[in-house]
């Protein structure tokens, strides 16, 4: 936190990088919007509540899409909120179409764009008939990748196309080390006959992209790990690998591990309480509380700030940058 | 060939001729030699024809003359090999000079009858004669009976100018012909033949009885010229329509039993016949109709007997009453069907417009006039049905025909109240909620049906609906573009909904697996009973809560306070605004609204934040916020600039401060180095200040 690089940035940029300004602007905007109501109980309290909710991740509920998309933290919060609210749907075993998932998304964000949902569905369905049913966990994980890293994925898609058509984007880049230049393998002929692109080349490009990308990217090490056991891969395959890789999921920090996606004891308890309140209910409710404690679970929401881990990772990457590059130059 | 002798016939060769005729032939006494006894021959002809084909045709001719009729007739073979010659003993000739009976003689041809030129009655019943021949010399013949033979064609009668009764029943005649010279014919009996058409009888102006029963007639016409016809027997044919009967000035009895008449229009000429007093229709399809009796009675006031039964005054009165009622009913139903047709056209038009709107069909025809028309109320019918149509130029009928022709109907919406259902077609119909509805009508409405209207538009008028139709419990949506689960949130503002019907046509939301549960969840405070016709079970409610309960929990408890207030406040503000516009003055209403909202908040706080704003509204709001956002951005930027400036200054100060401090200290130390001179300078400064 107190590394010297932090002070190297000019003030404005520093604030912008942490998205502090986004939240400040939004807070003031909300204040303006509701000044009659808020003036009743004080501005200080308003700001307290606002930033508390930002910490807890509830600030994105029922907000417009532009706000939800604005910062990685918002996106992660949104994912988490979606998971919490509709986990029960998944638990019920219902398989839904892409449109229905989109509908559920719209319940939380009225103007959520359909394209994002479609792209997420495409990851799950591998470009098959778009009306197929998907399970909750499949969709959620794919959606996570698509939504959280959407800009990154766009660039990757462009790179993939380039690689596919034989152009090597590496020739344009001048990386900080000289390791990139001898990577110009003439894999052109092979690319056209075989499917997809070569995995290692692809990874290299991704790493370069991550370095210069100002949007959030998955940690390159994890990406490499995800693609380690394949020789060639298509773009779809890449996305699927990303979505299924548990490490990336953890790095994102929004959702629990895939195996635990249906588990949320706190909310289950809450649900029990609600169910009991239904009038005239015959008490046949068996939720089978998964209270078999999972100690590694992140603690319940109240008040625990959970940091977007990837930022820390990124910093780590930077600080270890030299090591990595020297590693590469060795191979 | 011809059997041997003709044996005498006993007098009691009784046979009934059934043609309803009372014929009297009086034989005049011949002046000179043959003192023939004067006799009155009565041929009582009964009315009853026996029906087909099982019963034997009884052909009884009651005769009043003495039974002693020993006709000794000899049939000798003549020179012409085919025709036998008939001879009678002179005694018989004298006794029965004017009549000759050759019944059941197994004749296959007509024998030549010699020397009987005075013959007036000739009876060939029950033989096998195939052609009428060899009687042209009997020019005094008045009565010719060829019943039950095998004659195929009417012929050989051209010389019998005095013939008055011609009985050709039960033969094989296919065509009426060759009767030109029989101008005195009084009775013509052609029953039981194969005649298909009435023809060649127009010259028989003395004919009183015409019997064409049991033929193959399919229609009746060509009867003109029969100026004396009193009785026409057409039973047991295949007649479907009757014409020309009004041209028969004397016709009193018409028997049409057992034909194929099914409508009154096919016999409508009977109404114009003033002489008809007796008619039968039994055995026709028309006699099975419910309106048969009174229609006949109404249209034929001159009748005295129908189907062999006298018509009483009572019956006539009833008939006219019933006929009037039928007329009214017909008019009413005609009007109803016109209305229905119009309604259907309007709905089609609205549907087409809707499809265009949804870009489902390309806009090819552009010659649609669009008339913005106001709705106007029609007068209320007794049945409590009220329909409102936009203004139209011209009468209903002309409008309808033109509409049917060109489909350039300009009506763009339709509002219909039918007992307990209010049906709205087309978005223009929503304006009807602004009208003043009578309390009674509005109170009766329990079902409201929306078709071809965008759901977003419906949402905007739901408050009005709540007020104007407080008893509406069942909402139906068809072709309303319901695509998101969120849209159901809008229904929460109504007072109460018991049943919800969302037609899959035009409402894609129904394809979602979870839509019913979401509705139950969001509108749980309504305790809905039926969705799309199926009962809501306890399990459904549980499932709904289980699926979406957490959503509600999150939406209520985890939202920061100010968001809660702002979201709820929005909804309430809207309602208040609407109320103030209309009847806000009355305190009662306001209180009610307060109670409502209190109840609202109390019952389902945790769902109340799940609202629906229509797309347009939402975009509007976002637009409005843009300005504020810009302002906020610049404001924050200014703040940041200030803060960074201050921060910079602070940092710069931090950097410079050590140096500055050292210099300060150094300056001070240098100053105080020489104590004496420092003291003097200070004192000097003090005195200077004064």
């Amino acid at each position: 936190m107190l590394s010297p690089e932090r002070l190297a940035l000019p003030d404005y940029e520093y604030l912008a990088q942490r998205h502090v300004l986004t939240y400040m602007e939004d807070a003031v905007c909300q204040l303006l919007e509701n000044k009659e109501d808020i003036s009743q109980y004080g501005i200080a309290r308003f700001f307290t509540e606002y930033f508390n909710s930002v910490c807890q991740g509830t600030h994105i509920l029922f907000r417009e899409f532009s706000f939800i998309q604005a910062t990685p933290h918002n996106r992660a919060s949104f994912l988490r909120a979606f998971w919490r609210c509709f986990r029960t749907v998944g638990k019920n075993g219902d398989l839904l179409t892409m449109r229905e998932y989109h509908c559920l998304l719209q319940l939380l964000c009225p103007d959520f764009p359909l394209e994002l949902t479609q792209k997420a569905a495409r990851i799950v369905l591998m470009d098959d008939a778009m009306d197929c049913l998907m399970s909750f966990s499949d969709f959620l994980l794919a959606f996570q990748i698509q939504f959280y890293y959407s800009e990154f994925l766009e660039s990757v898609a462009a790179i993939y196309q380039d690689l596919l058509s034989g152009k090597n984007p590496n020739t344009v880049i001048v990386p900080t080390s000289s390791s990139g230049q001898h990577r110009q393998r003439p894999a052109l002929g092979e690319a056209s006959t075989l499917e997809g692109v070569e995995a290692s080349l692809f990874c290299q490009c991704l790493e370069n992209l991550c370095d210069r990308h100002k949007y959030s990217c998955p940690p390159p090490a994890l990406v490499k790990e995800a693609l380690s056991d394949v020789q060639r891969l298509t773009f779809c395959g890449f996305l699927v690998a990303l979505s299924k890789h548990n490490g990336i999921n953890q790095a994102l920090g929004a959702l629990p591990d895939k195996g635990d996606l249906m588990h949320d004891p706190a909310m289950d308890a809450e649900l029990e309480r609600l169910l009991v309140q239904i009038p005239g209910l015959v008490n046949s409710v068996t939720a089978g509380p998964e209270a078999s404690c999972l100690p590694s679970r992140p603690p319940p929401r109240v008040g625990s700030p959970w940091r977007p881990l990837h930022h820390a990772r990124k910093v780590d990457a930077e600080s270890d940058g030299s090591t990595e590059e020297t590693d590469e130059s060795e191979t | 060939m011809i059997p041997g002798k003709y044996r005498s016939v006993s007098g009691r060769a009784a046979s009934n001729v059934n043609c309803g005729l009372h014929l009297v032939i009086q034989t005049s006494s011949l002046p000179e030699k043959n003192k023939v006894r004067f006799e009155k021959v009565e041929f009582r002809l009964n009315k009853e024809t026996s029906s087909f084909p099982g019963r034997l045709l009884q052909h009884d001719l009651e005769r009043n003359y003495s039974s002693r009729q020993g006709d000794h007739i000899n049939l000798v073979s003549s020179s012409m090999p085919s025709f036998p010659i008939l001879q009678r003993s002179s005694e018989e000739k004298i006794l029965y000079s004017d009549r000759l009976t050759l019944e059941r003689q197994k004749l296959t041809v007509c024998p030549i009858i010699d020397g009987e030129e005075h013959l007036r009655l000739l009876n060939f019943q029950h033989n096998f004669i195939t052609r009428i021949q060899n009687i042209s010399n009997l020019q005094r013949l008045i009565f010719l009976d060829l019943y039950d033979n095998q004659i195929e064609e009417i012929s050989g009668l051209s010389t019998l100018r005095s013939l008055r009764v011609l009985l050709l029943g039960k033969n094989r005649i296919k065509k009426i012909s060759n009767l030109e010279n029989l101008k005195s014919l009084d009775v013509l009996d052609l029953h039981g033949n194969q005649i298909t058409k009435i023809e060649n009888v127009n010259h028989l102006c003395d004919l009183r009885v015409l019997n064409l029963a049991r033929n193959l007639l399919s229609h009746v016409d060509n009867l003109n010229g029969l100026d004396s016809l009193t009785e026409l027997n057409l039973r047991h044919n295949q007649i479907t329509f009757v014409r020309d009967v009004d041209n028969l000035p004397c016709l009193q009895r018409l028997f049409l039993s057992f034909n194929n008449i099914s409508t009154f229009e096919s016999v409508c000429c009977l109404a114009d016949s003033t002489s008809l007093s007796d008619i039968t229709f039994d055995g026709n399809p028309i006699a099975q109709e419910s309106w048969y009796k009174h229609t006949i009675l109404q249209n034929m006031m001159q009748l005295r007997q129908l189907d062999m039964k006298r018509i009483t005054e009572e019956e006539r009165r009833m008939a006219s009453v019933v006929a009037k009622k039928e007329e009214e009913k017909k008019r009413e139903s005609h009007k109803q069907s016109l209305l229905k047709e119009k309604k259907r056209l309007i709905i089609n038009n609205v549907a087409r417009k809707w499809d265009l709107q949804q870009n489902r069909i390309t806009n090819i025809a552009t010659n649609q006039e669009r008339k913005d028309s106001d709705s106007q109320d029609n007068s209320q019918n007794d049945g409590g049905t009220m329909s409102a149509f936009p203004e139209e130029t011209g009468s209903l009928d002309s409008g309808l025909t033109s509409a049917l022709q060109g489909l350039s109907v300009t009506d763009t919406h339709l509002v219909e109240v039918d007992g307990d259902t209010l049906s709205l077609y087309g978005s223009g119909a929503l304006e009807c909620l602004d009208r003043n509805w009578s309390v009674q009508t509005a109170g009766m409405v329990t079902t409201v049906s929306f078709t071809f209207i965008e759901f977003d538009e419906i949402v905007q008028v739901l408050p009005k609906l709540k007020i104007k139709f407080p008893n509406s419990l069942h909402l139906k949506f068809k072709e309303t573009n319901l695509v998101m689960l969120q849209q159901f949130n809008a229904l929460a503002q109504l007072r109460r909904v018991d049943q919800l019907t969302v037609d899959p046509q035009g409402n894609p939301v129904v394809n979602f697996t979870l839509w019913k549960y979401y509705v139950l969840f969001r509108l749980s405070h309504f305790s809905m009973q039926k969705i799309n016709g199926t009962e809501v079970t306890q399990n459904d409610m549980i499932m709904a809560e289980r699926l979406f309960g957490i959503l509600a929990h999150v939406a209520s408890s985890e939202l920061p306070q100010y968001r809660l207030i702002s979201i709820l406040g929005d909804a309430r503000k809207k309602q208040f605004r609407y109320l103030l516009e209309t009847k806000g003055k009355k305190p009662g209403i306001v209180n009610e609204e307060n109670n409502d909202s209190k109840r609202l908040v109390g019952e389902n706080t945790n769902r109340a934040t799940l609202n629906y704003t229509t797309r347009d509204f939402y975009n509007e709001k976002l637009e409005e916020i843009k300005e504020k956002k810009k302002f906020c951005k610049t404001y924050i930027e200014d703040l940041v600039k200030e803060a960074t400036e201050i921060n910079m200054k602070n940092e710069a100060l931090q950097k410079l401060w050590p140096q500055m401090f050292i210099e300060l200290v150094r300056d001070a130390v240098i100053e105080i180095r020489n104590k004496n001179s420092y003291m003097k300078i200070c004192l000097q400064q003090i005195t200077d200040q004064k």
Side-chain angles (χ1 to χ4, degrees):
Chain A
M1 254 299 256
L2 295 176
S3 60
E5 277 81 13
R6 194 169 132 251
L7 301 173
L9 286 171
D11 308 317
Y12 194 77
E13 276 181 32
Y14 171 75
L15 288 175
Q17 198 185 55
R18 273 20 182 204
H19 305 286
V20 173
L21 292 181
T22 316
Y23 293 110
M24 283 303 302
E25 282 168 19
D26 187 60
V28 175
C29 202
Q30 294 269 298
L31 186 59
L32 267 184
E33 281 269 305
N34 307 299
K35 55 182 176 210
E36 308 96 24
D37 302 318
I38 295 176
S39 54
Q40 286 171 19
Y41 66 94
I43 296 185
R45 181 139 162 243
F46 162 73
F47 274 105
T48 320
E49 279 187 6
Y50 181 85
F51 283 104
N52 265 340
S53 87
V54 170
C55 276
Q56 287 172 7
T58 58
H59 58 300
I60 34 79
L61 289 172
F62 313 121
R63 294 297 306 270
E64 61 277 9
F65 179 68
S66 50
F67 178 67
I68 294 181
Q69 205 191 28
T71 72
H73 171 71
N74 284 4
R75 294 186 194 186
S77 313
F78 182 73
L79 288 167
R80 193 164 179 88
F82 182 73
W83 168 71
R84 287 173 73 222
C85 288
F86 297 114
R87 173 188 59 94
T88 40
V89 172
K91 201 157 132 189
N92 201 34
D94 286 314
L95 297 179
L96 308 178
T97 60
M98 181 264 301
R99 285 210 173 263
E100 199 156 0
Y101 281 120
H102 183 68
C103 219
L104 293 179
L105 283 167
Q106 279 184 317
L107 281 175
L108 292 178
C109 169
D111 57 348
F112 203 88
L114 186 61
E115 302 88 53
L116 270 180
T117 326
Q118 274 175 337
K119 285 188 192 161
R122 229 171 265 145
I123 298 178
V124 178
L125 301 171
M126 306 280 260
D127 271 342
D128 277 343
M130 288 298 283
D131 278 339
C132 271
L133 303 170
M134 302 178 274
S135 79
F136 183 72
S137 40
D138 286 342
F139 173 75
L140 186 54
L141 291 172
F143 178 70
Q144 171 182 250
I145 297 293
Q146 176 62 50
F147 181 47
Y148 195 79
Y149 296 124
S150 40
E151 295 87 355
F152 172 71
L153 288 183
E154 271 174 35
S155 314
V156 172
I159 291 180
Y160 180 79
Q161 286 304 320
D162 287 343
L163 282 181
L164 210 50
S165 59
K167 285 186 284 178
N168 196 332
N170 274 348
T171 55
V172 189
I173 301 168
V174 180
T176 50
S177 79
S178 57
S179 58
Q181 281 172 358
H182 64 275
R183 291 277 169 196
Q184 296 173 28
R185 272 192 225 143
L188 316 167
E190 295 152 49
S192 48
T193 49
L194 297 168
E195 209 183 272
V197 300
E198 217 197 310
S200 39
L201 183 58
F202 191 58
C203 278
Q204 180 65 26
C205 302
L206 287 187
E207 275 171 33
N208 293 328
L209 181 63
C210 288
D211 285 341
R212 61 186 165 91
H213 213 286
K214 53 181 159 61
Y215 296 112
S216 52
C217 327
L222 291 177
V223 173
K224 232 167 143 193
E225 192 191 318
L227 306 176
S228 55
D229 49 352
V230 289
Q231 269 298 99
R232 311 192 65 81
L233 77 164
T234 60
F235 189 59
C236 260
F238 166 65
L239 292 174
V240 172
L242 271 189
S243 69
K244 294 210 192 284
H245 192 262
N246 211 20
I248 296 182
N249 184 17
Q250 276 175 353
L252 231 163
L255 303 172
D257 292 342
K258 180 162 181 188
D260 297 335
L261 261 184
M262 296 301 164
H263 298 155
D264 188 354
M267 276 298 126
D268 277 339
E270 192 59 47
L271 188 57
E272 294 306 310
R273 276 205 306 111
L274 287 172
L275 281 174
V276 168
Q277 281 171 19
I278 297 180
L281 172 61
V282 177
N283 223 332
S284 58
V285 190
T286 48
E290 282 79 22
S292 49
C293 285
L294 312 152
S296 59
R297 269 206 80 278
R301 301 306 318 125
V302 210
S304 72
W306 102 110
R307 306 177 301 285
L309 294 172
H310 89 279
H311 276 302
R313 286 295 195 123
K314 181 103 170 85
V315 173
D316 289 343
E318 277 173 351
S319 58
D320 299 337
S322 53
T323 337
E324 278 186 20
E325 284 171 19
T326 47
D327 280 345
E328 284 169 4
S329 61
E330 279 172 13
T331 50
Chain B
M1 285 255 315
I2 299 174
K5 284 212 169 170
Y6 171 81
R7 55 182 171 79
S8 66
V9 179
S10 69
R12 286 280 81 214
S15 37
N16 281 330
V17 170
N18 298 333
C19 43
L21 167 70
H22 193 98
L23 171 69
V24 176
I25 293 182
Q26 291 191 333
T27 60
S28 58
S29 58
L30 293 172
E32 324 131 24
K33 311 164 203 169
N34 299 337
K35 277 271 183 181
V36 181
R37 249 172 307 145
F38 180 83
E39 258 151 18
K40 205 163 92 160
V41 179
E42 284 186 358
F43 299 87
R44 184 179 314 272
L45 307 165
N46 278 347
K47 288 191 183 161
E48 296 306 318
T49 47
S50 46
S51 59
F52 245 56
R55 285 160 47 188
L56 277 179
L57 206 62
Q58 304 212 335
H59 189 82
D60 265 336
L61 197 62
E62 284 172 36
R63 297 185 186 186
N64 250 358
Y65 59 94
S66 123
S67 57
R68 182 167 64 90
Q69 181 177 304
D71 271 25
H72 298 301
I73 296 169
N74 291 327
L75 287 171
V76 301
S77 47
S78 69
S79 53
M80 299 195 332
S82 47
F83 293 120
I85 299 180
L86 183 74
Q87 280 174 0
R88 288 204 286 184
S89 66
S90 44
E91 196 184 69
E92 300 234 336
K93 268 199 211 170
I94 292 166
L95 266 179
Y96 309 106
S97 61
D98 62 348
R99 63 189 64 109
L100 178 56
T101 307
L102 293 170
E103 233 178 276
R104 297 182 205 276
Q105 295 297 310
K106 301 191 186 158
L107 299 167
T108 54
V109 291
C110 293
I112 298 175
I113 303 172
D114 248 348
E116 303 273 3
E117 273 71 25
H118 294 300
L119 215 52
R120 296 215 278 208
L121 272 89
L122 183 51
N123 184 347
F124 274 123
Q125 281 189 33
H126 304 298
N127 282 294
F128 302 94
I129 297 169
T130 52
R131 282 191 68 175
I132 311 172
Q133 292 162 313
N134 300 324
I135 53 173
S136 5
N137 51 330
L138 306 170
Q139 290 183 7
R140 297 273 179 93
L141 210 56
I142 294 178
F143 183 100
L144 176 57
D145 188 349
L146 284 158
Y147 172 75
D148 191 17
N149 278 286
Q150 292 172 4
I151 297 168
E152 290 174 10
E153 192 195 346
I154 306 175
S155 58
L157 303 171
S158 40
T159 53
L160 307 176
R161 285 171 216 281
S162 325
L163 198 65
R164 301 250 278 274
V165 177
L166 177 57
L167 308 179
L168 284 166
K170 209 170 170 201
N171 278 286
R172 297 177 192 177
I173 298 168
K174 294 189 174 50
K175 189 167 146 64
I176 309 174
S177 57
N178 296 327
L179 300 171
E180 286 84 36
N181 293 335
L182 307 177
K183 289 208 171 51
S184 332
L185 209 56
D186 197 45
V187 174
L188 178 56
D189 181 4
L190 289 165
H191 81 273
N193 280 291
Q194 296 161 9
I195 297 168
T196 54
K197 208 167 132 158
I198 302 177
E199 54 188 341
N200 298 325
V201 295
N202 309 84
H203 56 285
L204 303 171
C205 38
D206 282 343
L207 193 69
R208 282 188 311 128
V209 176
L210 178 54
N211 185 352
L212 286 164
R214 293 191 190 276
N215 274 288
L216 302 175
L217 294 171
S218 57
H219 57 271
V220 176
D221 57 4
N222 212 359
L223 290 173
N224 45 304
L226 297 169
D227 296 332
S228 312
L229 196 66
T230 320
E231 176 173 323
L232 180 54
N233 185 349
L234 296 165
R235 290 191 176 93
H236 291 283
N237 276 289
Q238 297 158 8
I239 295 170
T240 49
F241 66 85
V242 174
R243 279 206 286 256
D244 271 359
V245 171
D246 40 345
N247 291 331
L248 302 171
C250 297
L251 188 69
Q252 289 170 20
R253 293 180 289 278
L254 177 58
F255 305 115
L256 287 164
S257 314
F258 299 100
N259 275 292
N260 214 359
I261 296 168
S262 44
T263 64
F264 186 75
E265 282 68 39
S266 45
V267 299
C268 58
C269 66
L270 299 179
D272 299 328
S273 162
T274 47
S275 52
L276 261 181
S277 65
D278 201 337
I279 201 167
T280 65
F281 279 113
D282 51 298
N284 281 287
I286 197 179
Q288 304 303 318
E289 300 280 359
S290 55
W291 40 261
Y292 161 62
K293 197 157 183 197
H294 59 81
T295 309
I296 301 285
L297 290 184
Q298 262 307 95
N299 287 299
M300 301 181 62
M301 301 295 287
Q302 72 280 32
L303 269 187
R304 290 219 208 100
Q305 278 202 81
L306 175 63
D307 291 336
M308 302 305 185
K309 291 182 281 226
R310 258 197 80 90
I311 300 170
T312 61
E313 272 312 306
E314 179 68 22
E315 279 174 332
R316 263 193 238 276
R317 206 175 46 77
M318 283 299 295
S320 68
V321 164
V322 174
K324 269 203 208 99
K325 267 203 214 146
E326 287 268 329
E327 185 61 40
E328 253 186 58
K329 232 197 311 183
K330 229 197 317 185
R331 251 184 287 142
E332 187 63 36
S333 75
H334 180 63
K335 203 158 67 145
Q336 289 295 328
S337 64
L338 272 182
L339 277 179
K340 242 192 228 167
E341 183 61 28
K342 183 147 206 278
K343 201 168 73 158
R344 195 184 62 80
L345 281 172
I346 294 180
I347 291 180
N348 274 350
N349 199 32
V350 174
R352 206 150 151 265
K353 222 183 120 198
W354 173 260
D355 279 343
L356 272 176
Q357 230 178 321
Q358 305 295 313
N359 296 324
R360 277 185 225 157
I361 60 177
T362 54
N363 195 349
I364 310 169
T366 50
N367 60 344
Q368 285 176 338
E369 317 146 39
R370 286 190 206 277
K371 209 164 47 163
D372 279 335
S373 37
D374 299 336
S375 324
Q376 67 180 31
D377 287 356
N378 283 344
S379 55
Q380 219 160 354
N381 295 339
D382 309 68
T385 319
M386 180 161 72
S387 312
F389 299 116
E391 259 176 28
E392 250 199 333
T393 56
S395 70
L396 200 66
D397 275 336
S398 68
L400 187 60
T401 44
S402 71
L404 285 168
Q405 284 164 8
L407 248 211
S408 63
V409 178
T410 59
D411 307 322
T412 54
H413 61 266
L414 172 63
V415 177
E416 192 195 358
V417 177
D418 190 1
D420 65 351
T421 306
L422 169 67
S423 306
L424 304 169
Y425 299 88
S427 54
L430 294 175
E431 292 161 4
C432 82
L433 291 170
D434 288 328
R435 266 192 276 150
N436 284 326
W437 295 84
S438 77
V439 176
Q440 194 203 8
T441 326
M444 269 180 29
V445 169
T446 58
T447 305
V448 183
S449 149
F450 301 93
T451 319
F452 302 122
I453 311 175
E454 288 275 358
F455 188 79
D456 287 358
E457 291 178 22
I458 299 175
V459 164
Q460 288 165 23
V461 301
L462 282 178
K464 290 188 214 168
L465 185 71
K466 189 163 127 180
I467 291 189
K468 290 276 167 110
F469 293 97
N471 293 335
S472 50
L473 294 174
H474 181 183
L475 296 182
K476 296 168 85 160
F477 298 98
K478 183 172 164 175
E479 290 279 0
T480 53
N481 237 357
L482 269 169
V483 293
M484 304 193 283
L485 293 175
Q486 223 189 346
Q487 288 173 307
F488 288 115
N489 291 345
L491 296 178
Q493 60 185 288
L494 292 172
R495 192 165 293 150
R496 198 190 145 102
V497 176
D498 254 353
Q499 274 194 60
L500 183 64
T501 305
V502 181
D503 198 305
Q505 191 183 346
N507 291 319
V509 84
V510 178
N511 296 331
F512 292 157
T513 338
L514 301 175
W515 80 274
K516 279 195 192 167
Y517 295 122
Y518 186 76
V519 170
L520 285 175
F521 154 73
R522 182 67 184 85
L523 305 175
S524 62
H525 56 289
F526 288 157
S527 310
M528 289 180 70
Q529 292 176 355
K530 274 198 189 175
I531 296 188
N532 272 16
T534 39
E535 292 261 341
V536 169
T537 64
Q538 186 70 252
N539 281 338
D540 291 335
M541 295 297 291
I542 295 176
M543 180 56 81
E545 192 66 32
R546 193 192 285 278
L547 283 174
F548 295 106
I550 296 185
L551 173 65
H553 173 77
V554 165
S556 59
S557 60
E558 302 201 353
L559 272 184
Q561 188 71 8
Y562 73 90
R563 294 285 326 276
L564 263 179
I565 293 184
S566 77
I567 291 180
L568 285 177
D570 246 347
R572 250 184 285 153
K573 262 186 228 159
K574 260 193 272 179
Q575 288 173 355
F576 273 132
R577 213 184 312 140
Y578 170 68
L579 278 177
L580 284 173
E581 280 170 14
T582 54
K583 300 181 194 175
K585 312 288 170 56
K586 295 196 191 149
I589 306 290
V590 175
N591 275 340
E592 193 182 288
E593 181 55 37
N594 272 337
N595 288 340
D596 252 351
S597 56
K598 273 204 203 112
R599 211 188 322 132
L600 193 79
V601 173
E603 272 183 19
N604 55 342
T605 332
N606 64 347
R607 273 151 248 246
T609 49
L610 297 171
N611 282 340
Y612 174 64
T613 41
T614 59
R615 177 126 306 192
D616 301 331
F617 214 70
Y618 193 76
N619 292 338
E620 258 179 52
K621 239 176 39 166
L622 288 183
E623 283 293 320
E624 282 171 15
I625 297 179
K626 267 204 192 137
E627 279 295 317
K628 293 193 181 136
K629 279 205 175 143
K630 252 199 322 199
F631 165 74
C632 290
K633 201 168 163 76
T634 48
Y635 179 69
I636 298 284
E637 276 175 17
D638 289 342
L639 281 181
V640 169
K641 241 191 275 180
E642 246 185 77
T644 52
E645 273 177 20
I646 292 173
N647 190 38
M648 253 180 9
K649 288 182 192 163
N650 198 22
E651 288 188 9
L653 181 62
Q654 292 293 338
K655 282 208 191 95
L656 294 173
W657 177 245
Q659 194 64 29
M660 282 166 65
F661 188 72
I662 292 173
E663 285 182 14
L664 274 175
V665 169
R666 188 170 10 148
D667 289 343
V669 166
I670 293 175
E671 257 183 46
I672 310 176
R673 238 162 107 185
N674 195 340
K675 270 199 220 162
N676 291 331
S677 52
Y678 186 64
M679 271 195 316
K680 274 189 198 148
I681 294 173
C682 284
L683 281 172
Q684 187 73 29
Q685 277 178 355
I686 291 168
T687 50
D688 283 343
Q689 274 175 14
K690 285 206 196 126

